[in-house]
Amino acid sequence: MQARIPTVPERLPLRARWDNFQRRYAPYIFISPFFILFAIFGLFPIVFSLYLSFHAWQPASGLGSMTFVGWRNFTDNLTDPTFWQSLKNTGIIALESGIPQHLIAIPLAFAINMSLKRVQGLVTALYFLPYITSVVAIAVIFVTIFSWQYGVLNVVLTSLHSLPLIGGLFPAENINWLGNRNFIQPAVASVVVWRYVGWNVVLYLSGLQAIPRDLYEAASVDGASVWQQFRYITLPLLRPIMFVAITLTLIGNLQLFEEPYIIAGDSGGIGNMALTTVMYMYRTYNFYSDAGLAAAMSWLLFILIGALTFLNNRIFGKSRLSGSD
Amino acid sequence: MAVAYSSAPNTARRSIGKPLSRGAALALLVLGALLTVLPFYFMFVFATHSRGEIFNLPPPTWFGHNLTTNYDSLLGRVPFWRNLWNSLYLAVLSTVTTLFFCSLAGFAFAMYNFRFRDQLFAMVLATLLIPGALNIVPFALIMQAFGWIDSPRALWVPGMASAFGIFLMRQYIGSAIPKELVEAARIDGDSEFGIYRRIVLPLCGPALATLGLVTFINSWNNFLGPLIIFRSVETYTAPLALRTLQGLVNTDWGALMCGVALTVVPLLVVFAFASRQLIEGLTSGALKG
């Protein structure tokens, strides 16, 4: 941030006055596009959706058919077993994909941080690749990999089963990943993990690289073991970035739509097990064309996201970010 | 996907190069790299095999001879080049408009002292906190009301001045362009927009490249937006066309993989040349926020 430099000359000729006028209003004009667009496509829709959530409305039958129904959309959602199931699915997939993401990303970031400078950029880029790939493409590839009878994954797993010692860890039979109620959620979650590990690696790597090396050197001179160095230097200093990464995962995972939608389709997969809340909202709007119900659902989800983010802040975010502005 | 949780050596650091832990770290990196790359490898392999060959035991692990057949089959089912063109058109328009409006606003926030500047900027940042899910239903309704269904406008107009882009440009302009330069141009009698066009914009190269790449990739990969807006296969973007192919009763997986590869390869090429900038751009919101 620069200090403000007040420039107030003593007397102003006409030309300078015009310049001042122009200078005073130019910045407002330059930033106005954002505020105009946000008003039309951001603020208005949100206010409208709040209004809508208290009304029953089939969009196809025109604005005139909107009728006020009070809290009924909310109570309808909260008494709808499918809505609760979608929340449960979202939560389970969020945990099954969220926790492994970070448990894998942190060691990988460590390993990259240890390796030679030359390869760091290359390896990081490689891990980041899934993040910049179209979700549709990813999901389509994984559907073939997960295929029950002919999928690469099952072939690998069942062949590992015949290994000595660790063979017992692997299934003897092909797993019907996408057609079995118990396996579709882990299947979707693992696609999410695969996609986001690299993203988290980059975040953690930047956190690790910000830790001054001489801290470790000083600690090892004082006789701290490697574990103690990790416990008392790395972990505390990684905490702010961990908080950011976990917050982003939380918010993103609660709004999961694309991966389960492509893998399981409109139907939400076997027994609706891969139906996330955003998918159900889309279904409510698009197929049941009940805009009010869908709007109420989005607000319920919003409240849930807000509450969980707040909890996460209280538990985890005590040390606020040291603003690097 | 089974991933090795354990063998993570929390031990060595760069400074303490114990051969053992270095070896373990290397093994971990190689394993991770394999798991990352394999799906891409299978994408290319499957694109060269017929449907019957893909669903075979064991599945193919090396390239086949069916690429041209798959390609013809793909074009027989959807106008895929048209779909790729739609994706490109949308991405280019998004990128150009975003660069212009975001650099202009970023310049204003970085270089001017005006009333309510900091409050307005805080407002811009606050909009980043709104979960996207909240906007899905009203977005669909508004576009219906505007009559913008099936028209790309619906997707590039709302994002023209993105909060993230303004944030990125303000950071860069504030740190890389000296205020004296702007003052000097002003004394020389340049208009405010002239300063932006002749002084600031030419100096924003790196930030414009980063923001441009990020915007382009996000647009290219966008799925939910086009899913809501586009209703006919002629107006579909590439990801929607793929989704349609997959949804057919008798999915031709070879053709589908061929389309997937055509969608992903341009990205891989861009990424190969600008991975560093892309990664920095995409994560800057999280790291500097």
Side-chain angles (χ1 to χ4, degrees), chain B residues 100-117:
Chain B
F100 174 69
F101 286 111
C102 291
S103 55
L104 197 59
F107 163 58
F109 279 122
M111 288 295 181
Y112 290 84
N113 292 320
F114 51 94
R115 226 175 136 202
F116 303 124
R117 182 189 64 181

Side-chain angles (χ1 to χ4, degrees), chain A residues 130 137-142 144-145 152 194, chain B residues 1 32-46 257 260 264:
Chain A
I138 290 170
V140 166
I141 297 165
F142 271 94
T144 55
I145 289 175
V152 179
W194 183 80
Chain B
M1 282 171 60
L34 273 177
L35 289 174
T36 304
V37 172
L38 269 177
F40 289 100
Y41 174 73
F42 280 113
M43 169 185 81
F44 287 117
V45 168
F46 288 166
M257 280 297 167
V260 168
V264 173

Side-chain angles (χ1 to χ4, degrees), chain A residues 160-183:
Chain A
L160 285 174
H161 178 75
S162 58
L163 283 178
L165 290 176
I166 56 166
L169 296 172
F170 299 101
E173 299 281 312
N174 279 352
I175 293 174
N176 187 356
W177 289 102
L178 302 180
N180 180 319
R181 298 180 62 97
N182 299 324
F183 289 107

Side-chain angles (χ1 to χ4, degrees), chain A residues 86-160:
Chain A
S86 81
L87 280 179
K88 193 176 142 195
N89 295 340
T90 306
I92 290 172
I93 295 173
L95 286 175
E96 281 177 353
S97 66
I99 294 170
Q101 260 178 61
H102 295 268
L103 288 179
I104 297 164
I106 294 176
L108 278 179
F110 267 127
I112 292 175
N113 201 24
M114 275 168 58
S115 60
L116 299 169
K117 269 271 177 272
R118 272 206 314 278
V119 296
Q120 283 187 359
L122 180 73
V123 176
T124 310
L126 192 74
Y127 286 142
F128 204 76
L129 208 48
Y131 181 80
I132 59 128
T133 308
S134 155
V135 188
V136 184
I138 290 170
V140 166
I141 297 165
F142 271 94
V143 168
T144 55
I145 289 175
F146 281 127
S147 160
W148 184 18
Q149 300 295 355
Y150 307 106
V152 179
L153 182 63
N154 277 341
V155 171
V156 171
L157 288 179
T158 49
S159 65
L160 285 174

Side-chain angles (χ1 to χ4, degrees), chain A residues 2 28 113 127 132 255 325, chain B residues 14 29 115 133 171 174 221:
Chain A
Q2 300 91 342
Y28 292 108
N113 201 24
Y127 286 142
I132 59 128
Q255 299 180 76
D325 195 12
Chain B
R14 273 169 307 173
L29 287 181
R115 226 175 136 202
Q171 293 277 93
N221 290 338

Side-chain angles (χ1 to χ4, degrees), chain B residues 80-275:
Chain B
F80 201 69
W81 284 107
R82 165 93 214 181
N83 302 134
L84 281 171
W85 165 254
N86 292 340
S87 280
L88 184 69
Y89 172 85
L90 190 56
V92 168
L93 265 178
S94 283
T95 305
V96 172
T97 52
T98 301
L99 288 183
F100 174 69
F101 286 111
C102 291
S103 55
L104 197 59
F107 163 58
F109 279 122
M111 288 295 181
Y112 290 84
N113 292 320
F114 51 94
R115 226 175 136 202
F116 303 124
R117 182 189 64 181
D118 297 344
Q119 291 85 338
L120 286 168
F121 188 67
M123 258 181 78
V124 172
L125 291 186
T127 63
L128 286 169
L129 300 174
I130 301 167
L134 205 54
N135 219 336
I136 294 170
V137 172
F139 171 76
L141 289 170
I142 275 203
M143 292 311 168
Q144 200 98 46
F146 282 13
W148 287 10
I149 294 293
D150 252 343
S151 125
R153 266 195 310 259
L155 294 167
W156 63 261
V157 170
M160 281 195 303
S162 72
F164 171 73
I166 292 172
F167 163 78
L168 211 71
M169 294 312 296
R170 175 186 167 267
Q171 293 277 93
Y172 183 82
I173 294 171
S175 64
I177 300 177
K179 265 201 157 136
E180 293 77 21
L181 213 55
V182 175
E183 293 295 337
R186 208 167 271 148
I187 288 162
D188 289 348
D190 213 339
S191 72
E192 300 304 317
F193 187 77
I195 294 172
Y196 160 78
R197 207 170 58 80
R198 278 185 285 273
I199 313 281
V200 177
L201 207 53
L203 290 172
C204 279
L208 289 172
T210 302
L211 178 59
L213 281 165
V214 170
T215 312
F216 191 94
I217 295 259
N218 282 339
S219 169
W220 185 265
N221 290 338
N222 189 2
F223 176 71
L224 183 54
L227 182 71
I228 290 167
I229 296 300
F230 298 123
R231 305 281 165 85
S232 70
V233 79
E234 283 295 318
T235 54
Y236 278 1
T237 54
L240 282 181
L242 295 177
R243 162 97 191 109
T244 314
L245 276 174
Q246 191 205 357
L248 296 175
V249 176
N250 194 354
T251 307
D252 183 342
W253 285 94
L256 180 56
M257 280 297 167
C258 189
V260 168
L262 281 174
T263 311
V264 173
V265 165
L267 278 189
L268 297 186
V269 173
V270 170
F271 191 66
F273 285 103
S275 63

